[in-house]
């Protein structure tokens, strides 16, 4: 048992020696940790948004079954915007892919990226509430407004996500801040 403990602590000491010996190695490990965290965050957000898209799809099926075919087109427009957001979040390069190697991302930019990520999480929660509102308003006068709200929220989230990329790449407005979640 003591031999196993020595091997484990010896391995840790070897890693510490590498970190101290190789210039930039700690930064390399930090970049990998950021990439992994970014991947996990976006996979989680995409999964939460996917749940809402599935709920909308189920509502569409229910509307068709109940003879509410007129409402399906409007709901489909909202579903397409949500699907576009999901696909964009899910397929964007993870970990600011290569950006930490090719572009110097300073603490200020990193802080803004975290603000965008936080806003995206908030928007996912807001979208879930908006889909709840659609479910509750089926067959009422408030249904069209509830559907428009989901479409608007999905578009705003997509615009915010696109602005996040501009912060990383130094696009048109590198001073962009995440649009406020209302």
């Amino acid at each position: 048992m003591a031999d196993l403990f020595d091997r484990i602590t010896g391995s840790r000491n070897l890693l510490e020696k590498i970190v101290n010996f190789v210039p930039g190695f700690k930064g390399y490990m930090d970049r990998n940790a950021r990439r992994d965290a970014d991947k996990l965050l976006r996979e989680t957000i995409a999964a939460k948004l996917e749940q809402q898209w599935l709920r909308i799809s189920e509502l569409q099926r229910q509307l068709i079954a109940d003879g509410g075919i007129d409402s399906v087109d409007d709901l489909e427009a909202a579903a397409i915007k949500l699907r576009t957001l999901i696909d964009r979040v899910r397929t964007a390069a993870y970990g600011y892919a290569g950006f930490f190697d090719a572009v110097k991302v300073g603490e200020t930019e990193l802080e803004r990226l975290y603000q965008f990520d936080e806003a995206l999480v908030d928007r996912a929660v807001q979208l879930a509430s908006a889909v709840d509102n659609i479910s509750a308003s089926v067959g009422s006068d408030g249904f069209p407004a509830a559907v428009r709200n989901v479409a608007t929220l999905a578009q705003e989230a997509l615009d915010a996500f696109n602005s996040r990329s501009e912060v990383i790449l130094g696009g048109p407005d590198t001073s962009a801040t995440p649009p406020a979640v209302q």
Side-chain angles (χ1 to χ4, degrees), residues 6 42 50-51 61 65 70 72 84 140 151 153 159 164 171:
D6 291 339
R42 284 203 266 141
E50 184 85 27
Q51 290 172 352
R61 285 188 288 279
D70 295 341
V72 173
T84 302
S140 75
L153 289 172
D159 292 345
R164 177 186 186 270

Side-chain angles (χ1 to χ4, degrees), residues 21-34:
F21 181 75
V22 178
F25 189 77
K26 185 176 186 321
Y28 172 78
M29 291 177 61
D30 289 344
R31 282 193 302 269
N32 282 338
R34 284 187 205 128

Side-chain angles (χ1 to χ4, degrees), residues 85-105:
L85 173 62
I86 293 164
D87 292 344
R88 178 78 170 99
V89 169
R90 185 168 276 145
T91 61
Y94 293 120
Y96 324 122
F99 296 130
F100 289 117
D101 299 332
V103 176
K104 177 73 172 150
V105 177

